[in-house]
Amino acid sequence: MEHSLILAQSDQIIGWLTPVWVMSVGISLGLILVYLCKGLIYLLSRIPGLNTLNDAPVTRMIGGISIAVLTLIAIFAAAFGQGWLGRQTDGGDITLWILLGLLISIVMGFGFTAVVSKKRFDELGHQPVGNFASWLTKIAIGFVGFAILGIVLALFDGFGSVLIVEEPIDKLNSLQRLNQTGFQQALDVNVPAKTTHEIDTSFYGQELRLIQFRSDQDVLLAAQPFDGLGIDSYFEVFKNSEYTSYRRQVGDQRIPAEEIQKLFIKNDGDFDASVDLQWITQVEHPQMGIIPRIAVGVLAIYLGYWMFCAGCPKIAAIALSTFKTEITQPVFALIAIIGGVFAVVSIYIPYYTFGEDIKMYKMSALTLIRILGIFVAIWAASKSVAEEIEGRTALTVLSKPVGRRQFLLGKFSGISTAIGLMFVVVGLWFVIWVCYKPIYDARETSGRDFAWVNGFDEAVKTIPGLILAYFESLVFVAISIAVSTRLGILANFMVCFAIYVLGHLTPLIVQSAEVVQAFEPVVVFGQFISVVFPVLDHFDVETAIIGDVDVPLSYMAWACIYCLIYGTIAMLLSLVLFEDRDLA
């Protein structure tokens, strides 16, 4: 389909923006789930008995533990029902999923008990403007508008100008049929001699990815009655042959594109035929499977924020104040602009990698975004903790019914949400331009492969890198707060810089210590570094980018647990250092 776009680049625009439209649909669905969930929580908060569980420590404990146990049972029931645990042959992976199940259950148990409290829910509805959730909603509404725009332009053929996405309704239909495809079906059929046997089936021809068949007699196989069929409209299955594999090609008449309700097997021989059939179906656009994942991710972020605010109101109040202070700082906007500009400009940098420019682009941009996030973490911790201690502002806050632990945890939460907002803004902007990079490279090499799936695949592989970079930033938030309880901003930067360098060199130092076992000081230093300093290479996806492979979900889960453990240790250290700090 041709469209009169300026410079006649309609196919390039569609190839670039279709992945963005898919991401926008996922965010839109997530926002719908958020409001449905909020309405459900509102109804639950009006149920007598349930809405008062959080009012007393005893009922809070009983309600939290009870809901946590029910959540854990539901998680493991779903895991066994889907066979997830059965597919985990590695004992470490099973341990990982058990730990995650326990963690999610505890958070859901006590978080749900708090958020359905009528008092807490009403407080959530009266949060000041400019909180973390309101910023996320503004960003999400922009993507909702883009998703709607793509559908409207497609329905009216781009108004003769430009399209964002072609055939969006077909793509949404693929989303609807995701749970009806993607698995293998098999049949063993006996066909009497001199007869035609009909097999009842139900799949769409355009969704057929592979069909295999074999027989102990010569037979014919077709998706239509044999009367009047041409030779190019059926399959010939020869006697005692191995499995014949067939992958459907566009335009092949043997498997029509419409719904296939019957398969026909014709046996003209003198003996009965035993025919084995196997076929695999897949939706026309399997990439739509990312939409439910994005939606669940959006819902999880909102739910986590609501539960945090409801369960820890004093900490949330300090976090909200810190969050609003940090995002209004000029350095925050400057960092976001630097990351956004680099994401665009570095597309046009020639990397001279013989067709692998996309890898260098993603590596350089992810590294910069990670460094910018760490810089904001150190800067914000120094300004919020060290300067407030030195300026006696912290003494004013602690004079209210707020403890020192609540003060530091509130600062950590506020800085973490501010950095999270930066990663959302810069990360989404970066992902949008990652979708464009394959289009640009194809155009520069005089290629004509502007397929949207190329940009989609690269964008999907980039998202884990952004999440891991955020985990690394959280580690430095905790470390920087611990340092800020005793030292100023300059010393904080120096300490964190040393930790950053040694943290990324830890694997090399440990390997060097193993090589030179005879030199005891090197061995001791290597062991000391590996124990005390974080192994920051856990949050680096450079190897996955170079190898062009996906980051496993289990790896990201272990990285999350490592981030939680090291961040907790750093925060405990900061509480110890701050407990006897003289604020007067």
Side-chain angles (χ1 to χ4, degrees):
M1 185 183 298
E2 294 295 334
H3 303 276
S4 57
L5 179 69
I6 297 175
L7 301 181
Q9 292 178 329
S10 59
D11 53 347
Q12 300 175 34
I13 295 295
I14 293 173
W16 171 25
L17 295 182
T18 296
V20 182
W21 179 84
V22 173
M23 181 174 62
S24 301
V25 173
I27 295 174
S28 303
L29 179 58
L31 196 61
I32 293 173
L33 293 178
V34 166
Y35 282 105
L36 290 176
C37 186
K38 192 171 185 179
L40 177 61
I41 294 174
Y42 171 79
L43 295 177
L44 294 175
S45 67
R46 265 54 189 174
I47 299 177
L50 185 63
N51 59 6
T52 57
L53 287 176
N54 196 58
D55 294 347
V58 175
T59 57
R60 183 187 307 126
M61 183 64 64
I62 295 174
I65 293 176
S66 301
I67 297 173
V69 171
L70 292 175
T71 303
L72 187 63
I73 293 173
I75 290 174
F76 281 102
F80 280 111
Q82 296 294 328
W84 295 336
L85 293 181
R87 290 195 295 265
Q88 301 296 333
T89 56
D90 187 359
D93 285 343
I94 296 177
T95 303
L96 168 65
W97 300 124
I98 292 175
L99 288 175
L100 285 179
L102 290 172
L103 180 62
I104 293 173
S105 301
I106 294 172
V107 172
M108 285 296 297
F110 290 92
F112 179 81
T113 303
V115 81
V116 297
S117 168
K118 185 177 184 301
K119 178 183 177 181
R120 298 300 183 209
F121 183 83
D122 293 340
E123 289 176 355
L124 285 177
H126 293 88
Q127 277 198 337
V129 178
N131 60 76
F132 179 66
S134 65
W135 275 97
L136 290 182
T137 302
K138 293 175 184 177
I139 297 171
I141 289 175
F143 282 93
V144 171
F146 188 81
I148 296 174
L149 178 63
I151 297 175
V152 171
L153 288 177
L155 292 177
F156 292 95
D157 196 23
F159 296 102
S161 176
V162 63
L163 285 177
I164 293 175
V165 55
E166 285 186 328
E167 301 178 347
I169 304 303
D170 288 346
K171 292 178 172 60
L172 294 178
N173 288 337
S174 294
L175 173 63
Q176 180 184 357
R177 290 185 53 79
L178 277 174
N179 62 342
Q180 303 177 32
T181 60
F183 49 88
Q184 181 172 316
Q185 301 181 59
L187 288 175
D188 187 0
V189 183
N190 185 64
V191 183
K194 305 296 184 180
T195 61
T196 299
H197 187 73
E198 297 181 6
I199 304 172
D200 292 329
T201 60
S202 180
F203 64 89
Y204 286 88
Q206 69 267 25
E207 295 178 350
L208 181 67
R209 292 297 175 265
L210 174 68
I211 184 170
Q212 295 178 317
F213 37 78
R214 69 178 178 182
S215 172
D216 60 357
Q217 303 293 329
D218 293 342
V219 296
L220 303 178
L221 174 67
Q224 308 171 58
F226 283 94
D227 297 338
L229 280 186
I231 192 173
D232 57 347
S233 299
Y234 56 81
F235 300 97
E236 294 184 85
V237 186
F238 296 104
K239 177 180 178 180
N240 295 328
S241 61
E242 296 294 330
Y243 271 113
T244 301
S245 300
Y246 163 74
R247 298 182 185 276
R248 184 179 181 277
Q249 304 294 327
V250 177
D252 195 323
Q253 296 302 314
R254 291 178 291 183
I255 302 292
E258 64 267 11
E259 183 179 6
I260 308 297
Q261 296 183 342
K262 289 183 180 293
L263 289 176
F264 301 87
I265 302 178
K266 186 177 182 180
N267 180 11
D268 289 331
D270 297 326
F271 301 97
D272 293 352
S274 178
V275 182
D276 293 336
L277 283 175
Q278 297 179 3
W279 67 88
I280 300 175
T281 56
Q282 183 60 273
V283 292
E284 188 175 3
H285 302 287
Q287 295 81 9
M288 298 300 105
I290 195 67
I291 292 177
R293 301 178 188 177
I294 295 176
V296 171
V298 172
L299 178 61
I301 293 174
Y302 275 87
L303 274 179
Y305 180 74
W306 293 340
M307 290 179 178
F308 165 71
C309 293
C312 311
K314 292 183 179 180
I315 296 176
I318 298 174
L320 176 60
S321 175
T322 304
F323 170 78
K324 296 178 69 174
T325 301
E326 296 307 324
I327 64 173
T328 55
Q329 294 290 331
V331 67
F332 185 86
L334 179 62
I335 291 299
I337 292 173
I338 291 175
V341 170
F342 183 83
V344 178
V345 173
S346 56
I347 287 179
Y348 304 98
I349 297 176
Y351 295 98
Y352 303 107
T353 57
F354 301 101
E356 301 292 344
D357 281 14
I358 183 67
K359 295 181 180 180
M360 293 300 300
Y361 170 66
K362 292 197 294 185
M363 288 170 54
S364 58
L366 284 174
T367 301
L368 178 66
I369 293 173
R370 181 194 304 116
I371 293 174
L372 293 178
I374 294 173
F375 177 84
V376 172
I378 301 171
W379 175 272
S382 300
K383 299 287 288 186
S384 295
V385 179
E387 289 195 1
E388 287 195 16
I389 293 175
E390 295 174 0
R392 304 296 187 268
T393 307
L395 184 61
T396 304
V397 176
L398 293 174
S399 64
K400 302 176 181 180
V402 175
R404 297 196 177 205
R405 288 176 294 178
Q406 294 168 328
F407 176 78
L408 284 186
L409 292 175
K411 292 297 182 181
F412 173 82
S413 303
I415 296 170
S416 299
T417 50
I419 297 175
L421 179 63
M422 189 200 77
F423 268 87
V424 169
V425 174
V426 179
L428 288 175
W429 179 253
F430 172 53
V431 169
I432 290 173
W433 288 98
V434 167
C435 297
Y436 174 70
K437 181 62 174 174
I439 306 298
Y440 174 79
D441 289 345
R443 190 178 65 190
E444 288 298 297
T445 56
S446 300
R448 297 298 303 170
D449 186 10
F450 301 132
W452 67 271
V453 294
N454 297 331
F456 175 86
D457 292 340
E458 296 295 344
V460 170
K461 293 176 182 178
T462 302
I463 294 175
L466 291 169
I467 297 175
L468 292 174
Y470 178 63
F471 289 163
E472 184 173 348
S473 299
L474 291 183
V475 171
F476 274 94
V477 172
I479 294 173
S480 184
I481 287 178
V483 176
S484 297
T485 57
R486 295 290 179 172
L487 303 176
I489 184 171
L490 181 58
N492 196 348
F493 269 102
M494 294 177 64
V495 171
C496 289
F497 175 76
I499 293 175
Y500 178 82
V501 173
L502 291 175
H504 279 285
L505 292 177
T506 297
L508 295 177
I509 295 174
V510 173
Q511 291 176 7
S512 300
E514 293 176 353
V515 172
V516 288
Q517 288 288 344
F519 194 46
E520 192 64 26
V522 176
V523 176
V524 174
F525 181 71
Q527 294 174 345
F528 173 77
I529 292 296
S530 63
V531 172
V532 175
F533 290 91
V535 183
L536 299 179
D537 272 1
H538 291 333
F539 308 108
D540 196 349
V541 294
E542 180 177 339
T543 304
I545 293 175
I546 293 175
D548 197 23
V549 296
D550 297 330
V551 179
L553 183 61
S554 59
Y555 181 88
M556 296 185 62
W558 277 120
C560 178
I561 292 177
Y562 183 82
C563 171
L564 288 175
I565 293 174
Y566 200 92
T568 301
I569 293 173
M571 286 304 299
L572 289 175
L573 177 62
S574 67
L575 293 174
V576 172
L577 295 174
F578 190 56
E579 192 65 32
D580 60 348
R581 175 71 190 269
D582 185 11
L583 302 179

